[in-house]
Amino acid sequence: MHACLQIPEILRIILIFEEVTQVTKSVVRPSYTTLYHLALTCRAFRGPALDVLWAHIPTPDVLVLCLPQDTRSQPIRELTLESFDQFECTPSGIAAAFRVSLLRPLTDDDWATFRVYARRVRSLTFAEYDVEPYNLIRDHKLHDSAMLTLLDPSASTLPPFPLIRELYWHDKRDVLLPCLQRCISTTLTRLDIHSELWPSAMVDLIAGLDTACPKIKEFHCSMPTASACAMLSDFVTCWDDLEILETGAVNAQALQHLASLKKLRELKMLVPEDHSLDLDPTSTFGVMLSLDKFSIAAASTELLLASLAPLQISAKNAHLNIDTVSDVFRLDRLLSSLTEHFNPNVLESLDVEVDRPTDTTNHALFELTASAFRNIRGFTKLTNQFDACLYHRWRSSGPCFRLARNRTSLP
């Protein structure tokens, strides 16, 4: 073997290049096969190749593959008349039959093997749970009990993934929340949490993120409840390295902190339907945000306008989403007021979406007044070098109004 390949830095560059050479449908994916064979080539390649191979784990069921075959079950690959005898014909029985389970308690050697690979993980994704029969047969996910066993805190007091940087939690169920808690680490720089119900266990876990994850640069939190917004505001002020943030409506202190962050590029605020901003109409409080992209989603135009009230935003891209609009006057008021909150000399792309019109037969909802158009034409970057066009189109989710630079064609 050439002496150059014995230099770890050169070998690491080669392996990373190999990882991204597999392109399918314009999507770059790790070349697992290539990395696997490199790990088997020689001892010099084994460690670095395994580091890259196990760096990004797209689903937890990959973790069990490092264990001996006698520790894990073989899921049913095809649903036949013979396979019906292998499981109980109940939803839980069917799910168990198509998922990988642990067949015996793990020994000390098994745990040692697991830790050798787990310490290489840099990114871990818990995908959304899907109980559709076709997906059960196709995906062969890890059974919940096996996942809970692998991440059981009683097995080790040490973090299971000591070098993890990115964690994506899309499972949305309560049963695996102990696994989420075990994966939370001081080494995390990106954290995505998607939860629909926000049980008390989730709230308690989120409440400690400021100290549990002090190095966060990118944080996404979908569908927070009104009660969770105050909690989110508290720990956002503890993160000084934020670059991308998706969170609930935050308070004045959090807004001031975000405005002070030089690295913050993208901000998305999700305003719950029952959220109370408690803003004093006579208050002169204001915050100036300088971003690449600003997004806000609210249940109504009233909530969205109230959330925008203290903000002066300098952003190239803006996206506003409203769940419902009851009449044209509220939408007209929103569009007419945009120049009060967005720098007209910076904004290059503007999207305003209405997800669920209260009356889809009321076409007057989209007959906006001339004042709304006049104010939008004040955004010089939007109207530069062409006649500005504001249009709406019906989609399955509702109408969308869009104005962007160099976009002149109508749908």
Side-chain angles (χ1 to χ4, degrees):
M1 184 172 61
H2 197 280
C4 291
L5 296 178
Q6 298 180 18
I7 301 175
E9 291 77 11
I10 294 179
L11 184 56
R12 188 173 295 108
I13 292 174
I14 294 173
L15 293 173
I16 293 175
F17 176 76
E18 287 291 344
E19 182 193 20
V20 297
T21 53
Q22 180 178 337
V23 180
T24 305
K25 296 181 179 179
S26 300
V27 177
V28 179
R29 300 182 183 277
S31 181
Y32 295 116
T33 302
T34 302
L35 290 169
Y36 172 76
H37 287 296
L38 281 172
L40 298 178
T41 300
C42 64
R43 292 182 178 180
F45 286 3
R46 177 178 172 82
L50 288 177
D51 286 342
V52 179
L53 182 62
W54 284 82
H56 303 281
I57 304 300
T59 175
D61 51 286
V62 175
L63 298 173
V64 80
L65 297 180
C66 66
L67 298 175
Q69 290 188 359
D70 68 322
T71 63
R72 44 192 166 92
S73 66
Q74 294 297 321
I76 294 177
R77 301 287 177 179
E78 184 179 2
L79 191 60
T80 62
L81 291 176
E82 291 78 10
S83 64
F84 270 103
D85 297 332
Q86 302 179 34
F87 58 85
E88 182 182 355
C89 290
T90 62
S92 59
I94 295 174
F98 289 102
R99 294 185 179 273
V100 180
S101 302
L102 295 179
L103 298 178
R104 60 170 175 78
L106 299 183
T107 65
D108 291 342
D109 288 342
D110 296 332
W111 283 116
T113 300
F114 175 75
R115 295 186 188 103
V116 165
Y117 291 90
R119 65 178 173 82
R120 306 176 190 272
V121 175
R122 302 296 191 274
S123 173
L124 178 60
T125 300
F126 288 80
E128 184 173 359
Y129 183 77
D130 195 340
V131 295
E132 292 296 326
Y134 170 76
N135 292 324
L136 287 174
I137 297 174
R138 180 192 62 186
D139 296 337
H140 305 117
K141 299 295 185 181
L142 191 62
H143 195 272
D144 292 342
S145 61
M147 192 72 256
L148 290 168
T149 298
L150 288 177
L151 297 181
D152 188 351
S154 63
S156 175
T157 57
L158 299 175
F161 309 108
L163 297 180
I164 191 170
R165 297 290 185 271
E166 301 175 359
L167 178 60
Y168 305 89
W169 181 267
H170 301 160
D171 192 274
K172 299 182 181 180
R173 296 179 301 149
D174 300 349
V175 63
L176 291 185
L177 282 180
C179 297
L180 173 60
Q181 186 170 13
R182 283 284 286 161
C183 293
I184 296 295
S185 170
T186 57
T187 59
L188 284 174
T189 58
R190 172 167 181 169
L191 179 59
D192 285 23
I193 295 181
H194 295 264
S195 180
E196 293 180 349
L197 302 178
W198 281 77
S200 58
M202 172 68 82
V203 173
D204 293 342
L205 190 154
I206 296 296
L209 286 181
D210 53 343
T211 54
C213 308
K215 301 178 181 179
I216 289 294
K217 295 181 179 180
E218 185 171 344
F219 179 72
H220 298 263
C221 181
S222 69
M223 296 179 286
T225 61
S227 59
C229 287
M231 176 187 62
L232 293 170
S233 296
D234 289 340
F235 66 69
V236 162
T237 58
C238 298
W239 290 335
D240 297 327
D241 298 323
L242 278 173
E243 298 177 6
I244 299 176
L245 175 63
E246 178 182 353
T247 184
V250 293
N251 58 27
Q253 182 181 359
L255 286 174
Q256 290 176 324
H257 176 73
L258 294 176
S260 70
L261 300 180
K262 302 300 183 183
K263 297 180 181 179
L264 187 64
R265 296 179 286 109
E266 297 183 17
L267 173 61
K268 182 175 183 179
M269 297 173 57
L270 309 171
V271 186
E273 184 174 1
D274 55 346
H275 180 67
S276 176
L277 294 173
D278 296 327
L279 292 178
D280 183 357
T282 62
S283 174
T284 58
F285 170 75
V287 172
M288 180 171 291
L289 296 169
S290 181
L291 309 161
D292 290 336
K293 183 177 181 180
F294 174 83
S295 303
I296 185 170
S300 64
T301 51
E302 291 81 4
L303 275 175
L304 194 145
L305 283 168
S307 301
L308 288 176
L311 302 180
Q312 294 292 321
I313 305 165
S314 176
K316 294 181 180 179
N317 303 283
H319 185 101
L320 284 65
N321 185 283
I322 312 166
D323 282 354
T324 57
V325 175
S326 56
D327 57 62
V328 68
F329 301 106
R330 288 178 171 81
L331 187 58
D332 180 89
R333 180 187 170 196
L334 170 63
L335 296 177
S336 299
S337 67
L338 291 181
T339 51
E340 301 174 12
H341 305 290
F342 293 91
N343 189 327
N345 298 318
V346 176
L347 192 66
E348 296 181 0
S349 177
L350 170 65
D351 290 318
V352 181
E353 293 189 24
V354 181
D355 283 349
R356 298 189 302 274
T358 54
D359 184 2
T360 57
T361 63
N362 182 10
H363 298 289
L365 175 60
F366 311 107
E367 296 174 1
L368 300 174
T369 63
S371 62
F373 289 87
R374 283 197 301 268
N375 288 346
I376 288 179
R377 286 176 182 271
F379 292 104
T380 57
K381 292 287 186 177
L382 293 175
T383 60
N384 188 28
Q385 298 179 350
F386 74 99
D387 292 331
C389 61
L390 179 66
Y391 64 87
H392 69 268
R393 71 178 188 270
W394 282 100
R395 305 183 307 173
S396 58
S397 59
C400 171
F401 301 86
R402 175 168 294 162
L403 195 61
R405 190 175 186 179
N406 297 332
R407 182 183 284 123
T408 57
S409 61
L410 295 179

